[in-house]
Amino acid sequence: MSKYSILFLFTVLFMFSCKNSNEKIEQVQKQEITLYTHRHYESDKVVFEKFEQETGIKINVVKASADELIQKLESEGKQSPADLLLTVDAGRLVRAKNKGLLQSVDSKVLISTIPSYLRDQENKWFGLTKRARIIAYSKERVKPEELTTYEALTESKWEKKILIRSSSNIYNQSLLASIIANNGKTEAKTWAEGIVKNFARVPKGNDRDQIKAILAAEGDLAIVNTYYIGKLLNSKDLVEVNAANAVGLFFPNQDDRGTHINISGIGLTKHAPNKANAIKFMEYLVSKEVQEIFAEANYEYPVNASANTSTLLSSWGSFKEDNLSLTKLGELNKAAVITFDEVAWDKGPNAQ
Ligand code: FE
């Protein structure tokens, strides 16, 4: 080899190494992920900042309602900057999956930490925190010994006593889907009919409004998610605090399948530009310490069994949960919506 060709070789090698280090610098600078979330709690910010400090990965947070975020992902397609979708209710996550908006994640951490019924069977979404759909009862007018199951709420003794929101709500759709999965379509329809017969009023308002209606003596029993009791207890509005204090929590179906639960969950988007870092963040969210902060922020239960449940939720007692695979709730969503229509749920007790 001549003197010149050796010099040439070194020059090429030098240029190549410069290019590589430039690329590395660029990669370090691009350490970021974009999170589409419907959650809007101050404590989430604490978790995000802690992750940013520990890893140097910046989180771009885009907040909107779950349905808006799903629509946004759909319209953005391959151009979407989103890496992750964080939302509530397995029904919605199944919907996002079925629209082809999510991709499988191969993570030993996620799979070993999250029980299989709380995640998608193809690992396209994962539960992060749990909530139970329970019976809130008037402490003044109902004894908890009178309560047993969701099914028993159709008994005539509860006529004009039951408060629950409309059928357009995903929480109710998922509850009915769980009843279809457990008892079959025919029995589930009979159940829905029986509940309508016992309505205290035409369904209106959200879960909080049902609890407030117990305080106002419009009805005696409300079917609501657990975390709303926590929200009301910590409200600045005294009426809301009084409403929460007026009710007891009953976890139905403890002698059979357990109480219906649902999740707040996360999925990796189909076209995630920052896949590796996004998975790092998902794994971070299920670590013991973060689970405790994340669950407590919305008065929910952690999915990581080694994480402690908050003092308030522990005071409600432990309970047996229905460990039906949450995927089923999405699969049976349509059947639930049809059943609600068939029993004229939203027209109220006098329509039948
Ligand atoms: Fe909610």
Side-chain angles (χ1 to χ4, degrees):
M1 209 181 270
S2 76
K3 211 162 84 185
Y4 291 108
S5 50
I6 288 173
L7 192 65
F8 176 75
L9 193 70
F10 270 105
T11 311
V12 168
L13 276 175
F14 177 73
M15 281 167 66
F16 187 72
S17 73
C18 279
K19 186 175 176 280
N20 254 358
S21 63
N22 275 345
E23 264 175 10
K24 265 180 206 152
I25 289 166
E26 213 174 297
Q27 265 175 12
V28 170
Q29 283 170 345
K30 268 194 186 164
Q31 293 278 356
E32 57 176 31
I33 53 174
T34 299
L35 172 73
Y36 280 11
T37 176
H38 89 286
R39 286 178 56 121
H40 39 79
Y41 314 122
E42 269 308 296
S43 42
D44 280 10
K45 224 163 114 188
V46 176
V47 170
F48 299 164
E49 280 167 9
K50 208 163 123 40
F51 176 77
E52 289 178 337
Q53 276 162 15
E54 284 173 26
T55 62
I57 302 164
K58 190 181 173 303
I59 307 173
N60 305 314
V61 180
V62 177
K63 290 180 203 165
S65 78
D67 294 329
E68 279 165 356
L69 292 172
I70 289 176
Q71 238 167 38
K72 195 167 154 63
L73 277 173
E74 262 189 301
S75 61
E76 288 169 343
K78 281 182 186 170
Q79 307 303 319
S80 177
D83 294 295
L84 294 162
L85 173 69
L86 178 56
T87 180
V88 293
D89 206 286
R92 283 208 188 97
L93 287 158
V94 172
R95 202 176 291 166
K97 177 192 165 182
N98 290 344
K99 285 175 185 280
L101 300 172
L102 305 175
Q103 61 170 302
S104 295
V105 173
D106 183 19
S107 158
K108 279 197 186 105
V109 173
L110 294 176
I111 290 165
S112 63
T113 310
I114 307 168
S116 69
Y117 63 99
L118 301 176
R119 53 180 159 83
D120 176 45
Q121 298 315 294
E122 292 171 87
N123 297 314
K124 290 195 174 178
W125 53 261
F126 299 85
L128 295 174
T129 52
K130 296 180 285 187
R131 62 274 299 280
R133 199 146 180 81
I134 51 112
I135 303 168
Y137 62 91
S138 160
K139 284 193 218 165
E140 216 178 79
R141 301 182 294 277
V142 177
K143 289 189 186 72
E145 301 83 64
E146 295 177 82
L147 298 165
T148 52
T149 60
Y150 296 107
E151 287 79 359
L153 294 178
T154 61
E155 289 169 7
S156 58
K157 68 173 175 178
W158 301 119
E159 200 181 332
K160 296 198 171 80
K161 305 283 190 226
I162 296 177
L163 296 151
I164 187 165
R165 69 201 293 178
S166 80
S167 73
S168 63
N169 172 257
I170 190 97
Y171 307 150
N172 281 345
Q173 292 169 8
S174 287
L175 172 63
L176 184 54
S178 83
I179 294 173
I180 295 173
N182 280 294
N183 301 344
K185 257 187 204 169
T186 314
E187 269 193 52
K189 187 180 168 188
T190 309
W191 177 79
E193 262 164 3
I195 296 292
V196 171
K197 235 175 234 161
N198 287 344
F199 275 171
R201 60 179 188 186
V202 175
K204 61 174 178 184
N206 54 28
D207 278 13
R208 291 172 202 246
D209 295 323
Q210 314 312 316
I211 302 166
K212 287 192 232 173
I214 290 183
L215 178 69
E218 281 189 64
D220 291 349
L221 305 173
I223 300 177
V224 293
N225 285 353
T226 37
Y227 59 89
Y228 286 109
I229 313 268
K231 286 187 184 215
L232 292 180
L233 280 173
N234 289 282
S235 168
K236 287 187 185 105
D237 179 347
L238 195 62
V239 174
E240 295 202 326
V241 178
N242 290 341
N245 282 318
V247 301
L249 282 84
F250 185 81
F251 291 84
N253 297 71
Q254 291 304 287
D255 294 330
D256 49 62
R257 65 181 182 269
T259 301
H260 169 64
I261 55 145
N262 214 308
I263 49 149
S264 258
I266 197 163
L268 180 69
T269 62
K270 179 79 184 287
H271 305 289
N274 307 292
K275 192 173 158 180
N277 285 341
I279 295 172
K280 209 180 270 179
F281 182 60
M282 291 170 105
E283 291 175 344
Y284 181 79
L285 288 177
V286 298
S287 64
K288 179 186 181 293
E289 192 193 352
V290 174
Q291 275 277 294
E292 287 170 1
I293 306 170
F294 209 62
E296 193 170 358
N298 193 36
Y299 313 102
E300 288 183 272
Y301 300 90
V303 291
N304 181 336
S306 69
N308 292 313
T309 300
S310 70
T311 317
L312 174 66
L313 270 64
S314 299
S315 77
W316 296 338
S318 57
F319 67 97
K320 179 183 173 186
E321 54 189 55
D322 182 358
N323 55 12
L324 170 78
S325 171
L326 297 191
T327 301
K328 279 263 168 239
L329 306 183
E331 284 170 10
L332 293 167
N333 179 274
K334 222 175 223 159
V337 172
I338 291 169
T339 305
F340 275 134
D341 276 353
E342 284 173 350
V343 304
W345 183 275
D346 298 310
K347 295 209 170 90
N350 302 318
Q352 285 178 352

